Short mmCIF file of all heavy atoms in Angstrom, two decimals:
data_model
loop_
_atom_site.label_atom_id
_atom_site.label_comp_id
_atom_site.label_asym_id
_atom_site.label_seq_id
_atom_site.Cartn_x
_atom_site.Cartn_y
_atom_site.Cartn_z
N ALA A 150 49.51 144.82 -104.58
CA ALA A 150 48.31 145.59 -104.81
C ALA A 150 47.92 146.40 -103.60
O ALA A 150 46.85 146.98 -103.56
CB ALA A 150 47.15 144.66 -105.19
N SER A 151 48.75 146.42 -102.55
CA SER A 151 48.43 147.22 -101.38
C SER A 151 48.53 148.69 -101.72
O SER A 151 49.35 149.09 -102.54
CB SER A 151 49.39 146.88 -100.24
OG SER A 151 50.71 147.11 -100.63
N LEU A 152 47.68 149.51 -101.10
CA LEU A 152 47.58 150.91 -101.47
C LEU A 152 48.53 151.76 -100.63
O LEU A 152 48.13 152.68 -99.93
CB LEU A 152 46.13 151.38 -101.31
CG LEU A 152 45.11 150.58 -102.11
CD1 LEU A 152 43.74 151.22 -101.99
CD2 LEU A 152 45.52 150.45 -103.56
N ASN A 153 49.82 151.46 -100.69
CA ASN A 153 50.81 152.28 -100.04
C ASN A 153 51.09 153.50 -100.89
O ASN A 153 50.63 153.61 -102.02
CB ASN A 153 52.10 151.49 -99.81
CG ASN A 153 51.90 150.36 -98.82
OD1 ASN A 153 51.16 150.51 -97.86
ND2 ASN A 153 52.53 149.23 -99.06
N TRP A 154 51.89 154.43 -100.35
CA TRP A 154 52.20 155.66 -101.08
C TRP A 154 52.81 155.30 -102.43
O TRP A 154 53.78 154.57 -102.52
CB TRP A 154 53.17 156.52 -100.28
CG TRP A 154 53.52 157.77 -101.00
CD1 TRP A 154 54.53 157.97 -101.88
CD2 TRP A 154 52.83 159.02 -100.92
NE1 TRP A 154 54.52 159.23 -102.36
CE2 TRP A 154 53.50 159.90 -101.79
CE3 TRP A 154 51.71 159.47 -100.21
CZ2 TRP A 154 53.08 161.22 -101.95
CZ3 TRP A 154 51.33 160.78 -100.36
CH2 TRP A 154 52.00 161.63 -101.22
N GLY A 155 52.27 155.88 -103.48
CA GLY A 155 52.80 155.68 -104.81
C GLY A 155 52.12 154.58 -105.61
O GLY A 155 52.33 154.46 -106.80
N GLN A 156 51.30 153.75 -104.98
CA GLN A 156 50.56 152.72 -105.69
C GLN A 156 49.08 152.81 -105.33
O GLN A 156 48.75 153.23 -104.23
CB GLN A 156 51.08 151.32 -105.31
CG GLN A 156 52.44 150.99 -105.86
CD GLN A 156 53.54 151.45 -104.96
OE1 GLN A 156 53.35 151.50 -103.75
NE2 GLN A 156 54.68 151.78 -105.50
N PRO A 157 48.16 152.45 -106.22
CA PRO A 157 48.41 152.00 -107.59
C PRO A 157 48.70 153.17 -108.52
O PRO A 157 48.49 154.32 -108.15
CB PRO A 157 47.08 151.34 -107.97
CG PRO A 157 46.06 152.13 -107.24
CD PRO A 157 46.71 152.50 -105.92
N VAL A 158 49.17 152.87 -109.71
CA VAL A 158 49.41 153.88 -110.73
C VAL A 158 48.34 153.71 -111.79
O VAL A 158 48.18 152.64 -112.37
CB VAL A 158 50.81 153.73 -111.35
CG1 VAL A 158 51.00 154.70 -112.50
CG2 VAL A 158 51.88 153.96 -110.30
N LEU A 159 47.57 154.78 -112.03
CA LEU A 159 46.48 154.75 -113.01
C LEU A 159 46.75 155.78 -114.10
O LEU A 159 47.33 156.83 -113.84
CB LEU A 159 45.13 155.08 -112.34
CG LEU A 159 44.68 154.17 -111.19
CD1 LEU A 159 43.37 154.67 -110.62
CD2 LEU A 159 44.52 152.74 -111.68
N ASP A 160 46.32 155.47 -115.31
CA ASP A 160 46.41 156.44 -116.40
C ASP A 160 45.40 157.55 -116.20
O ASP A 160 44.23 157.30 -115.86
CB ASP A 160 46.16 155.76 -117.75
CG ASP A 160 47.27 154.81 -118.14
OD1 ASP A 160 48.40 154.99 -117.65
OD2 ASP A 160 47.02 153.89 -118.94
N SER A 161 45.82 158.80 -116.38
CA SER A 161 44.92 159.94 -116.24
C SER A 161 45.46 161.09 -117.06
O SER A 161 46.68 161.28 -117.16
CB SER A 161 44.80 160.36 -114.77
OG SER A 161 44.02 161.55 -114.64
N VAL A 162 44.57 161.89 -117.63
CA VAL A 162 44.97 163.08 -118.39
C VAL A 162 44.86 164.34 -117.54
O VAL A 162 45.10 165.43 -118.04
CB VAL A 162 44.09 163.26 -119.65
CG1 VAL A 162 44.18 162.03 -120.55
CG2 VAL A 162 42.63 163.56 -119.30
N LEU A 163 44.53 164.21 -116.26
CA LEU A 163 44.11 165.38 -115.49
C LEU A 163 45.27 166.17 -114.89
O LEU A 163 45.46 167.34 -115.23
CB LEU A 163 43.15 164.93 -114.37
CG LEU A 163 41.87 164.24 -114.85
CD1 LEU A 163 41.04 163.79 -113.66
CD2 LEU A 163 41.09 165.16 -115.76
N THR A 164 46.01 165.58 -113.98
CA THR A 164 46.95 166.35 -113.18
C THR A 164 48.21 165.55 -112.94
O THR A 164 48.16 164.32 -112.79
CB THR A 164 46.32 166.71 -111.81
OG1 THR A 164 45.09 167.37 -112.03
CG2 THR A 164 47.23 167.62 -111.01
N THR A 165 49.34 166.25 -112.87
CA THR A 165 50.59 165.60 -112.53
C THR A 165 51.47 166.60 -111.79
O THR A 165 51.23 167.81 -111.81
CB THR A 165 51.32 165.09 -113.79
OG1 THR A 165 52.46 164.32 -113.40
CG2 THR A 165 51.78 166.24 -114.68
N VAL A 166 52.48 166.08 -111.12
CA VAL A 166 53.52 166.89 -110.49
C VAL A 166 54.84 166.49 -111.12
O VAL A 166 55.26 165.33 -111.01
CB VAL A 166 53.57 166.69 -108.96
CG1 VAL A 166 54.70 167.49 -108.35
CG2 VAL A 166 52.24 167.08 -108.33
N GLN A 167 55.49 167.42 -111.79
CA GLN A 167 56.76 167.16 -112.47
C GLN A 167 57.78 168.20 -112.06
O GLN A 167 57.56 169.40 -112.27
CB GLN A 167 56.57 167.19 -114.00
CG GLN A 167 55.64 166.10 -114.54
CD GLN A 167 55.50 166.16 -116.05
OE1 GLN A 167 56.09 167.01 -116.71
NE2 GLN A 167 54.70 165.26 -116.60
N GLY A 168 58.88 167.74 -111.48
CA GLY A 168 59.93 168.66 -111.08
C GLY A 168 59.47 169.74 -110.15
O GLY A 168 59.94 170.89 -110.23
N GLY A 169 58.55 169.42 -109.25
CA GLY A 169 58.04 170.40 -108.31
C GLY A 169 56.99 171.32 -108.87
O GLY A 169 56.56 172.26 -108.19
N THR A 170 56.52 171.07 -110.10
CA THR A 170 55.48 171.90 -110.74
C THR A 170 54.18 171.14 -110.80
O THR A 170 54.12 170.02 -111.31
CB THR A 170 55.92 172.31 -112.17
OG1 THR A 170 57.12 173.06 -112.10
CG2 THR A 170 54.84 173.15 -112.84
N LEU A 171 53.11 171.75 -110.29
CA LEU A 171 51.77 171.17 -110.35
C LEU A 171 51.14 171.57 -111.68
O LEU A 171 51.07 172.75 -112.02
CB LEU A 171 50.92 171.68 -109.18
CG LEU A 171 49.45 171.25 -109.14
CD1 LEU A 171 49.32 169.73 -109.06
CD2 LEU A 171 48.74 171.92 -107.97
N ILE A 172 50.67 170.57 -112.44
CA ILE A 172 50.20 170.80 -113.81
C ILE A 172 48.78 170.27 -113.95
O ILE A 172 48.51 169.10 -113.66
CB ILE A 172 51.12 170.11 -114.83
CG1 ILE A 172 52.56 170.64 -114.69
CG2 ILE A 172 50.62 170.31 -116.26
CD1 ILE A 172 53.58 169.83 -115.46
N TYR A 173 47.87 171.14 -114.42
CA TYR A 173 46.50 170.73 -114.76
C TYR A 173 46.40 170.64 -116.28
O TYR A 173 46.41 171.65 -116.98
CB TYR A 173 45.47 171.76 -114.29
CG TYR A 173 45.42 172.05 -112.80
CD1 TYR A 173 44.88 173.25 -112.34
CD2 TYR A 173 45.86 171.13 -111.85
CE1 TYR A 173 44.80 173.53 -110.99
CE2 TYR A 173 45.78 171.40 -110.51
CZ TYR A 173 45.26 172.61 -110.07
OH TYR A 173 45.18 172.89 -108.73
N ARG A 174 46.31 169.46 -116.81
CA ARG A 174 46.13 169.25 -118.26
C ARG A 174 47.06 170.12 -119.10
O ARG A 174 46.64 170.80 -120.03
CB ARG A 174 44.68 169.50 -118.66
CG ARG A 174 43.73 168.37 -118.28
CD ARG A 174 42.50 168.38 -119.16
NE ARG A 174 41.58 167.30 -118.84
CZ ARG A 174 40.87 166.64 -119.75
NH1 ARG A 174 40.98 166.95 -121.02
NH2 ARG A 174 40.04 165.68 -119.38
N GLY A 175 48.33 170.11 -118.76
CA GLY A 175 49.32 170.83 -119.53
C GLY A 175 49.51 172.28 -119.14
O GLY A 175 50.35 172.97 -119.72
N HIS A 176 48.76 172.77 -118.15
CA HIS A 176 48.87 174.17 -117.71
C HIS A 176 49.40 174.20 -116.27
O HIS A 176 48.89 173.48 -115.40
CB HIS A 176 47.50 174.86 -117.76
CG HIS A 176 46.95 174.99 -119.15
ND1 HIS A 176 47.03 176.16 -119.88
CD2 HIS A 176 46.31 174.10 -119.93
CE1 HIS A 176 46.46 175.99 -121.05
NE2 HIS A 176 46.01 174.74 -121.12
N ALA A 177 50.39 175.03 -116.01
CA ALA A 177 50.95 175.16 -114.67
C ALA A 177 49.91 175.78 -113.74
O ALA A 177 49.35 176.84 -114.04
CB ALA A 177 52.21 176.00 -114.68
N ALA A 178 49.64 175.13 -112.62
CA ALA A 178 48.61 175.61 -111.68
C ALA A 178 48.96 176.99 -111.15
O ALA A 178 48.06 177.83 -110.96
CB ALA A 178 48.43 174.62 -110.54
#
């Protein structure tokens, strides 16, 4: 439960980074 890089993982609908693309709710930033 230590807060190192990559943890914890929480569910969110807001933002993600996939394949080098920053995405806001399904839209490329």
Side-chain angles (χ1 to χ4, degrees):
S151 58
L152 304 186
N153 293 324
W154 179 271
Q156 289 87 30
V158 174
L159 302 178
D160 291 336
S161 175
V162 302
L163 300 178
T164 306
T165 187
V166 177
Q167 296 181 0
T170 299
L171 176 61
I172 301 169
Y173 300 158
R174 284 203 179 216
H176 296 260

